[in-house]
Structure formats: C-alpha cells, structure tokens
Amino acid sequence: MSKQTYRVCLCFSRRFKLAVAEAPEEIRALFSQYSENGIMTDNHLQRFLIEVQKQEKATLEEAQAIIESLKHLAIFHRKGLNLEAFFKYLFGDNNPPLDLKLGAHHDMTAPISHYFIYTGHNSYLTGNQLSSDCSDVPIINALKKGVRVIELDIWPNSDKDDVEVLHGRTLTTPVQLIKCLRSIKEHAFTASEFPVVITLEDHLTPDLQSKVSKMVTQTFGDTLFSPGSECLKEFPSPESLKRRIIISTKPPKEYLEAKEIKDKESDSQKGNAAPDEEAWGKEIHNLKGADDKNELDEDDNDAEEDPGEGDHKLPHDIAPEYKRLIAIPAGKPKGGLEECLKVDPDKARRLSLSEQQLENAAETHGKEIVRFTQRNILRVYPKGIRVNSSNYNPLIGWMHGAQMVAFNMQGYGRSLWIMQGMFRANGGCGFVKKPDFLLKSGPHGEVFDPKAKLPVQKTLKVKIYMGEGWYYDFHHTHFDAYSPPDFYVRVSGYNLLVGIAGVPADTGMKKTRTLEDNWIPVWDEEFEFPLTVPELALLRIEVHEYDMSEKDDFGGQTCLPVRELREGIRAVPLHDRKGEKYNSVKLLVRLEFV
C-alpha cells in the first residue's frame, strides 16, 4: 500500500469512526439522568436497564458484566461508564433487539400441528425452477439456517434402476437421492435439535419405493421416526421428536397413475413465466390475489382418496415397507374443498395447497381452514408460474394456521425476509408456537376469523435514532462509482423504510426523510404502528441509498418478530439481500409498546 493510499484510508477511518459527538441528544439526556458526575456506575446502569430497557429482572451482576465487557476500550473509566462508553454499549453487539440467550423458550410439548415450521420448497434447486442444477448444497445451507422441512422430488433415473432428485419434466440436472439423504443426516441438527421433516413428491415404481425404503432406513437408522402402519390420532410434539427424522408423503399408488396426472399438469405450465423481481424484491402485495387460470399446481397429484381409506383398492405390489415409513400422510380426498378440510378425530394428516388455492379457499372457507389446522398440518407451496424461484406473502398462510408455508430458499427478496424474520423467534430453532387464538375453539365451536375486524391490542412505537457501519462493510465507492477522492463525505443520503408485516389491518410502511452526505446518518424520527394481531406482526426495516438520477441502492434490511422484541434502546443489526448479517451495519432504535 502506498503512503498516499494509507493516508486516505486512515483519514477515511478517522472521519467515520463512531464517536460520542454522534450521540443523539436523547441519549445524552438519558446518560445525564442515570449517571453522576459524568460516570454511570453499576447501580446506575442496573436502574437504567430496569426503567428504560424494561428488563425488570436485571441484576447488579448483569450491570457489572456489561461494564466489565467494555474495559478493553481506551475510553473506559475505571469507576464505570462515561458517555462514550455508554454510547458504545447501546450500539454494541450485546444489546440486540431479540434476547438471543433465551434459546428455544416456547412450550415445545404440544403436537407439531401447533407450530409454524420453517419449510423449504424444492429444497434441492440451486436457482430457477426450470434449468438450474439440483444439488445437496442448498439442502445443507437450508439446514444450517434452521430450516426444518426439506422437500425432495424423487424420480427413476434414465435406466429405471436407481432414484434421482430433480424437478420433473424440466431441464434441471439431477442429483442422486442417496447423496441428499446423507447430507441431511450429517447436517440435520447443526442449527437445531428439533425434528427434520422430509416431504417426498414420489414418482416411483413399487420396486424403487422398496429401494428408497432401504436407503432411508439404512441412512437414518434409529433417528428415523416411524409409527408403522397405524395412523396417528395426534402428531407427537417437537420435544419428543428431538433429533429425529420424519418422512411425509402421500400413501403410494401405482407410478403410472401418478405419472398420468403429472403429465396433464405439466402441459398447463407451458408458456408461463413470472417477471423478474427488482434488486431487492418487489414490495409485498396485499393478501388477496386474483385467480390465475394458467397456474400450474404441481402438487395436485395429491388429489386422491383420504390416506388410509380404500387401501384395499391399491395394487398388491405396493411396497409395504415404504408405506410404513410415512409418519405424516399427505393427500387430498376426492371431492371439493369441504372434503379436504374435514377434521377426522381418529387420524391426523397433511394437506397441500398452492398459494393461489389457499387465497381462493380463504375467501369462502377461512374459519374452516383454521379449524383444520388445529389438528392437521397444512402445507402451502408457491404456484408453478414462479419459475424464477420467487416467493409469495407468507402471512395469508400463517393467519389461517398453516404450519408449513413452503418457500424457495434461494428466492431472495422481501417475501423471504419476512419468512426469515418469523423464524428468528424462539431462538431460531425452526419451530414457532402458534398463537393461542389459532389453537383453541370457543364454547360453541367458534374459531378465529381471519377476516374479522378486530380492535387494536397494542401500539408499537419505533424511534429510529441513527445508523452506522456502512463504511466498514461497503467499499467507499459502492454507492457512487464516480465520486472524487474525498468520496467519504459525499454519500448521497439514506432513505429508511420502516413498517409492519402482519394481518391486513396491521400492514404498512413509512419512510424517514432523506439525509445527504453522511456515512453516519441521524434521522431521529418516531413512528407508531397500531396492532390488532401483534402475535403475527413482524417489524420490517430497510435502508436504501437515494440517487436522483438512478435507481436507489440497497443499504440493508431486517425483519423481527414483534412478540419477541425487547423494549428499550437497541442496536438492530442489518442484513444483506440473502439475509446474511453484515459485520458492522446496524441501527440505533428505541422500541416501546403502549
């Protein structure tokens, strides 16, 4: 590095180093209130934690630990925190908006139908739905991020003597099933001890089903949960299924019958394509969608007899050992929507609907869907025209109690950010307990009505003080490639969006003013969000760099479950488009419920 370059970098670093001079006036006032002679002792800090941060059980030892963690700073004062050290604490990694130390703290002893479950769709695809590679790598990545449901489409290979995973009747290149199974075994419990469900879309002959049965039992051994031939009256709990693998698919039928249905559906896909999303994804549309006549419902081959009924009609050469693997049977009973949503007290099952099918069903059978999902599992998957692996608004599934809202994990954008936000709850273990109102019925059998107009339960106040860290995580010419050498003082400005994703009455975005020429923007603006269903609400925050002549640049985002937000002044880390956390970029935010 030349001396001139070193001097420029040093100047850049000094200019944008977060300093006490950047502290907002409200932070200074709070420090003055909770300190004496310019020093905040452990007793002062404990009182601040209880009264401002709403940590009612904060102990003196916790306050002492915070002070101890800042001793390495040159600005540290031996008697406690001065203003600069206090400011560093507030903006530090040890002051997050979610309590990461809680881990999985929801009740995990209820049936798995009582939980939202982090669910992948076509988990083996590396890119689009038509021509990308199939691989175990995206499966591994999903498991490492806490995804608990992995979908595999299984087909005979070209010689009809082995089983491959691929998106059928497309140009996707296959991957061997055994490779996917071994990768699942190796990485299933890296991020969470709670069970992994493998949903199989089966296109196999009986002899290959037998082969799959051997692969699965040999690969997973005692970790495989298999209830045998008996239908479960109620699903087990996540707690009882820790470190277990669960298989879910429709009960087997003749391969040719399934193939014939699939062929008809495949024809309906031709000529359909979804438009590309913008760099960070289109804004989330409202929950009501228009009917799509050209939609391919790729899982409609689930339309069959109710699992377990009419088994005498099945051909005698069905592989019985394969059928015994199925712990969560899937399928659509013959008949209309009413038949699909019937609740059988003697057996629990899984039903799959496309996003469009769910939207249409919600218009006429919303309460019936909620009643169905109290005991049974509903899986929702992207409609077939999403060939670019985009996603949909997951809230329509969650507000009806759908446990498995299946997403393309490679489909980066706002929809996936909301999905990632939901599953930051409960320690990121991949299971989030559904709110009680989705699980209980009233004295006369009434259930939650997703269309009902509800009163405001609480209001979330969000004050955005400032942001920092872009100068560490972005190259200094990232936002303006044509800047002069003194670029570090010429950032065009930051435009910050903040809002709520939730039921329709709670959804909305608001925007701060644009600040020009500052790597450490200070907005100091407050917003209020009245919430009718706070249990399903997520706080969305995005930062963009405004450019009058070109499209705005992306500066970071996060999405957080409202019901687990910590009140008080918090350092909110921002993430990139894929949901990966930046090393340094964060916002200083005050959160308060009134």
Side-chain angles (χ1 to χ4, degrees):
M1 180 185 294
S2 68
K3 290 183 178 180
Q4 182 179 359
T5 303
Y6 175 78
R7 283 195 295 269
V8 170
C9 293
L10 182 61
C11 181
F12 185 78
S13 175
R14 285 174 176 171
R15 169 63 184 85
F16 295 116
K17 182 180 179 182
L18 184 66
V20 70
E22 309 287 349
E25 188 57 40
E26 188 172 322
I27 302 300
R28 295 170 180 270
L30 282 168
F31 178 79
S32 178
Q33 180 182 348
Y34 290 90
S35 66
E36 189 175 349
N37 298 322
I39 298 297
M40 181 182 283
T41 66
D42 49 7
N43 286 290
H44 292 133
L45 180 56
Q46 182 192 15
R47 190 160 62 90
F48 172 81
L49 293 175
I50 294 171
E51 296 176 6
V52 178
Q53 304 294 74
K54 308 298 183 185
Q55 297 172 218
E56 297 175 357
K57 297 181 180 180
T59 64
L60 189 63
E61 289 73 23
E62 287 179 89
Q64 290 169 344
I66 291 172
I67 293 174
E68 186 71 24
S69 70
L70 296 167
K71 276 190 173 180
H72 66 282
L73 298 176
I75 57 175
F76 180 77
H77 192 285
R78 62 184 178 85
K79 294 183 179 180
L81 303 180
N82 58 19
L83 175 58
E84 192 164 1
F86 175 65
F87 188 35
K88 290 284 187 183
Y89 149 66
L90 289 179
F91 234 136
D93 293 335
N94 293 327
N95 186 35
L98 305 178
D99 192 345
L100 306 179
K101 294 180 292 185
L102 288 177
H105 56 280
H106 296 181
D107 174 17
M108 303 302 286
T109 61
I112 59 173
S113 56
H114 288 205
Y115 300 83
F116 299 130
I117 310 173
Y118 205 176
T119 301
H121 174 256
N122 289 352
S123 304
Y124 49 87
L125 287 179
T126 58
N128 69 63
Q129 304 286 307
L130 295 181
S131 60
S132 65
D133 291 335
C134 301
S135 169
D136 64 328
V137 172
I139 296 172
I140 295 169
N141 292 339
L143 292 169
K144 287 181 176 179
K145 292 176 181 176
V147 173
R148 297 290 86 192
V149 182
I150 299 297
E151 184 188 28
L152 303 177
D153 291 13
I154 49 177
W155 294 79
N157 67 354
S158 57
D159 294 330
K160 311 296 183 187
D161 61 355
D162 203 356
V163 182
E164 296 178 332
V165 174
L166 76 155
H167 198 198
R169 289 168 176 71
T170 67
L171 299 177
T172 56
T173 55
V175 59
Q176 281 192 318
L177 172 62
I178 189 62
K179 185 175 184 180
C180 295
L181 297 178
R182 288 170 178 166
S183 293
I184 291 172
K185 178 184 179 182
E186 182 177 354
H187 300 280
F189 307 111
T190 302
S192 170
E193 286 191 310
F194 292 102
V196 168
V197 179
I198 303 175
T199 59
L200 299 175
E201 189 177 322
D202 173 8
H203 306 271
L204 302 179
T205 54
D207 59 324
L208 287 179
Q209 288 173 346
S210 295
K211 188 164 188 172
V212 168
S213 176
K214 292 177 183 177
M215 284 186 198
V216 169
T217 52
Q218 290 174 3
T219 301
F220 297 119
D222 292 340
T223 64
L224 185 67
F225 173 73
S226 179
S229 58
E230 297 296 322
C231 288
L232 294 170
K233 290 187 176 182
E234 186 176 67
F235 292 120
S237 69
E239 181 67 32
S240 68
L241 293 170
K242 272 186 174 179
R243 304 189 73 84
R244 302 297 294 272
I245 302 293
I246 303 170
I247 303 297
S248 178
T249 186
K250 59 185 182 297
K253 283 198 163 190
E254 275 192 291
Y255 169 67
L256 290 177
E257 181 180 342
K259 179 177 181 293
E260 180 182 353
I261 296 172
K262 195 69 176 180
D263 285 344
K264 292 178 181 178
E265 292 168 350
S266 184
D267 292 338
S268 70
Q269 181 182 19
K270 295 175 181 178
N272 292 305
D276 290 336
E277 291 186 321
E278 294 181 18
W280 48 80
K282 292 180 179 179
E283 185 52 79
I284 303 300
H285 63 76
N286 61 30
L287 297 179
K288 184 178 179 181
D291 187 28
D292 188 342
K293 299 298 183 183
N294 293 320
E295 177 190 346
L296 167 68
D297 286 337
E298 60 189 70
D299 284 3
D300 271 2
N301 57 339
D302 280 352
E304 59 191 19
E305 290 89 3
D306 200 8
E309 291 186 6
D311 283 355
H312 61 280
K313 299 177 184 177
L314 300 180
H316 295 295
D317 56 354
I318 287 294
E321 64 274 25
Y322 179 79
K323 189 174 181 181
R324 283 194 292 269
L325 294 179
I326 303 171
I328 304 177
K332 291 190 181 82
K334 284 184 175 179
L337 189 60
E338 290 80 4
E339 288 297 317
C340 287
L341 296 176
K342 276 187 177 178
V343 177
D344 188 335
D346 293 324
K347 59 185 172 185
R349 61 188 173 93
R350 192 196 92 200
L351 173 68
S352 287
L353 297 175
S354 73
E355 57 172 293
Q356 191 66 59
Q357 288 175 328
L358 177 63
E359 287 178 1
N360 294 339
E363 287 297 303
T364 54
H365 293 77
K367 289 190 284 187
E368 286 79 3
I369 299 172
V370 173
R371 186 173 285 107
F372 177 85
T373 57
Q374 290 178 344
R375 280 182 46 80
N376 301 285
I377 290 175
L378 176 60
R379 173 178 170 267
V380 185
Y381 58 92
K383 56 188 177 183
I385 61 173
R386 293 188 180 275
V387 294
N388 61 350
S389 293
S390 63
N391 288 301
Y392 51 99
N393 190 338
L395 266 302
I396 190 170
W398 291 332
M399 64 192 282
H400 287 85
Q403 297 86 350
M404 296 182 179
V405 178
F407 261 36
N408 296 307
M409 294 301 164
Q410 77 279 31
Y412 308 120
R414 288 188 174 106
S415 295
L416 186 59
W417 302 343
I418 291 174
M419 176 68 65
Q420 292 166 341
M422 169 63 83
F423 289 100
R424 289 189 176 109
N426 201 24
C429 74
F431 285 79
V432 173
K433 188 75 158 40
K434 294 199 288 187
D436 285 345
F437 61 78
L438 287 172
L439 299 172
K440 296 179 179 178
S441 299
H444 304 292
E446 62 269 24
V447 296
F448 174 69
D449 183 358
K451 299 174 105 178
K453 291 185 178 180
L454 302 172
V456 171
Q457 298 295 318
K458 61 175 67 175
T459 296
L460 173 63
K461 293 173 67 174
V462 181
K463 186 163 189 176
I464 309 291
Y465 290 114
M466 59 185 298
E468 71 107 12
W470 287 277
Y471 47 86
Y472 291 126
D473 293 345
F474 290 76
H475 191 272
H476 65 274
T477 60
H478 175 86
F479 295 114
D480 190 349
Y482 302 100
S483 62
D486 60 344
F487 164 81
Y488 58 86
V489 296
R490 293 199 60 201
V491 178
S492 299
Y494 290 97
N495 176 11
L496 188 142
L497 296 168
V498 58
I500 293 291
V503 299
D506 297 346
T507 301
M509 295 294 288
K510 300 179 181 180
K511 187 170 72 171
T512 66
R513 67 192 186 280
T514 298
L515 299 176
E516 296 184 357
D517 301 335
N518 202 331
W519 280 94
I520 305 179
V522 179
W523 294 280
D524 207 20
E525 294 188 48
E526 186 173 89
F527 305 94
E528 291 190 3
F529 299 97
L531 303 174
T532 63
V533 187
E535 298 89 343
L536 293 179
L538 296 116
L539 175 64
R540 284 180 55 200
I541 298 176
E542 297 179 20
V543 177
H544 302 278
E545 191 270 338
Y546 175 75
D547 192 323
M548 186 166 57
S549 61
E550 299 178 7
K551 185 168 62 177
D552 291 358
D553 287 320
F554 177 80
Q557 59 83 23
T558 193
C559 190
L560 302 167
V562 166
R563 64 172 165 167
E564 296 202 5
L565 288 176
R566 303 166 79 199
E567 292 188 86
I569 300 168
R570 303 296 174 185
V572 177
L574 296 187
H575 302 74
D576 64 16
R577 294 184 184 93
K578 295 183 178 181
E580 300 293 336
K581 189 168 73 170
Y582 291 122
N583 292 325
S584 305
V585 179
K586 57 175 72 79
L587 302 174
L588 190 64
V589 176
R590 186 165 188 169
L591 304 165
E592 184 180 4
F593 291 107
V594 294

